[in-house]
Amino acid sequence: MSSAGTGGTTTRRVAVTRSEHRGTARHVWIGIGATAVMLALALLGPLFAPHHPSDVIAPPYSSPSGQSLLGTDYLGQDTFSRILWGGSSVVWMSVTATAIAIVIGAILGLISAYIGGKLDALVLWLNDILLAFPLIVFVILFLSMLGRNPLLLVVLVAFGWLPSVVRLTRSVALEAIHQEYVASAEIIGTPRWRILVGEILPNITTPLIVQTGALLTWSIGVIAGLSFLGFGIQPPNADWGLMVNENRSGLMILPWGTIGPIVCIAAFALATNTLADALGRLLGARHTGHKADR
Amino acid sequence: MTISESAGLITVPEVAGIGAGARHRESVWILKRLGSGVLVLLAVSVVVFAATQALPSDPAQAMLGRQATPELLDALRQKLGLDQSLPVQYVHWFSGLLHGDLGTSLASQQPVTGVLGPRLLNSLALLAGAALIMIPFSIGAGVFLAARRDRSLDRTVNAGLMAVMALPDFVVGTIFLLVFATTVMPVLPAVSLVPPGASGFSHPRELVLPVLTAVTITAPFLIRQVRASMIETLESEHIAQARLRGIAEKRIIWRHALPNALVPLVQGSALMLSYLLGGVVVIEYVFNYPGLGGMLNDAVVYRDLPVLQAVSLTFAAGVVAFNLIADLLTIMLTPRLRTSGGAR
């Protein structure tokens, strides 16, 4: 159905020029550095938080003071402390969703390409059905029936990314299968699973690495968005996406409760995206950059 | 996806020869394409049904919450037909769908179709507004960048577009809200006060920020797509020949190169519009705009099962329809592209 996608990445270079290549290695380092900073903020933040994230320390929307650097939020909790606490959920959820999507998608795509026939047709058909749902609608539909559980949310988001990984792996594997060395491996009686793992897997690692970077960026956006809509981490726990929603009613009174987490989410997504984009250029397998292309 | 590949990806029949056989193959292809669209929708209806009624969880319990009394639960189960077997339930529900009967909203006690209609129109107004801006703007910007490829402006803008695409949708919406509606330049309404019955088009001011958000999250992809296919075409043999014949560069860009960017653009636009169907869920929530996305959120909050089913199905039908239209348009555009000498 969705003829407009080949799975997010391609080994073909589109309009990459020498000038774009220059400084690519530098961009990879910038991406790694920025991602590391955001990971450190999210994972080590709680150690430095002056207050517990759900402690009420002052009236709602109190102005910044020595006790609370960014003022307090809609309940009178310390905004700065909640920002330091609210990143770890974004990190573990988006990393887990990406990992599940890549592992399961790669296995499905490999098997689908190698066995072919009816199984292959079935996998592609399931892909089409999954793609007919906007990702966010798919997740909300199942979450609302099965209960709001962060782990379930992660699994559903991972499912939503499956089509891109399956198509990507499948197309690279199909290309590799037709190479001579796979045929000769079959003739000398190498077991199928060993051909899959030993001969085909090395071919797909590069596009998969790039796809992992893209999916991580998109997962941050989608998961923070779902938390923003109220389907993710629940209060009184702190989460960047959730905080934006909690404090947006007080935007006119004290905007820090909204701006703080917005800046953190944007910085995290931009950091992983810089890394993914630069890696893609370096490895020659770029992704299109839009999460619609799943 | 890439851009130049997208057109080649659907197996467009060889229509260049325009013989009777070619025409026949083309109509067979169209029929097959329609059939596969219908099949996907059928499967989607099974998934929606399974998600809402066939999961191990009890829908009646899910709707009424934990405090519900056994009597209430039984009454609701009967009302929803949960006492019947699953296939019977599905057939009953699906035949209702075919007759345009989407059930009765549990929250408002009104027919779902009546509630859905105006909300759907509002979301379509948002989508139409976004499409009307994003497509021409992307063509213009993409051509502009392609003509200046690799200059510093092109590189800066390109990096900027990648960055914008990395931002989550609700972040983009909230930033616009912060800048234009509250803190910096309070010129536009922060939340739309369009009454649910009224059309979004009759409240243009309320549409500005939602449409701006929708365009911002989709246009970068299309601009990059147009830019890439323009660059590829401008490097092709037939453009080189046109240049040798002394045709003006402007004419080469608009008359010779741009038509080749159209097929990928059609596919890309369909992809972006399908994406926006999901995007409206977030956008409408940020701006409190009364469309389908808001309806989905309400259905979840009130545990309104029939509405949840109807809205999910509508979203999926929209995606399938956009893809179908794009594929048909591609078929129609392809022969013309061939005769204009473009490489597919």
Side-chain angles (χ1 to χ4, degrees), chain A residues 118-241:
Chain A
K118 286 206 171 115
L119 180 86
D120 191 33
L122 178 73
V123 168
L124 290 182
W125 165 242
L126 290 176
N127 261 359
D128 278 356
I129 296 166
L130 212 47
L131 285 172
F133 290 95
L135 176 60
I136 205 158
V137 175
F138 172 79
V139 176
I140 290 177
L141 177 67
F142 279 88
L143 269 188
S144 62
M145 293 313 293
L146 290 172
R148 298 179 190 193
N149 173 342
L151 195 60
L152 181 63
L153 185 150
V154 164
V155 171
L156 288 169
V157 170
F159 254 77
W161 298 139
L162 276 186
S164 67
V165 188
V166 168
R167 268 179 299 142
L168 175 69
T169 326
R170 184 180 164 278
S171 67
V172 180
L174 277 180
E175 223 168 89
I177 282 169
H178 294 118
Q179 304 288 326
E180 218 160 291
Y181 58 82
V182 173
S184 27
E186 255 184 349
I187 288 167
I188 60 169
T190 316
R192 280 202 160 182
W193 66 269
R194 278 190 63 180
I195 298 177
L196 276 176
V197 175
E199 313 288 341
I200 299 175
L201 205 57
N203 282 301
I204 54 175
T205 41
T206 298
L208 273 186
I209 287 171
V210 177
Q211 187 73 0
T212 306
L215 286 189
L216 183 58
T217 307
W218 302 341
S219 297
I220 293 167
V222 169
I223 287 170
L226 283 160
S227 288
F228 167 74
L229 290 173
F231 291 95
I233 301 294
Q234 300 295 323
N237 295 310
D239 175 275
W240 290 341

Side-chain angles (χ1 to χ4, degrees), chain B residues 29-83:
Chain B
W29 185 88
I30 291 175
L31 278 179
K32 271 190 181 167
R33 184 63 190 77
L34 282 172
S36 86
V38 171
L39 276 180
V40 167
L41 271 185
L42 258 177
V44 160
S45 77
V46 174
V47 172
V48 169
F49 177 81
T52 47
Q53 242 152 317
L55 282 175
S57 66
D58 179 1
Q61 189 90 56
M63 276 185 270
L64 293 176
R66 287 204 188 105
Q67 301 92 334
T69 62
E71 295 80 37
L72 271 174
L73 284 173
D74 278 339
L76 184 62
R77 279 193 199 110
Q78 208 157 25
K79 193 176 166 198
L80 296 170
L82 295 176
D83 38 1

Side-chain angles (χ1 to χ4, degrees), chain A residues 31-49 80-81 83-92 95 240 264 267-268 271-272:
Chain A
I32 290 176
T35 307
V37 167
M38 290 313 293
L39 284 178
L41 170 71
L43 299 177
L44 304 178
L47 299 177
F48 301 96
F80 182 63
S81 301
I83 288 176
L84 290 177
W85 278 88
S88 58
S89 48
V90 181
V91 170
W92 81 255
V95 168
W240 290 341
C264 289
F268 190 25
T272 56

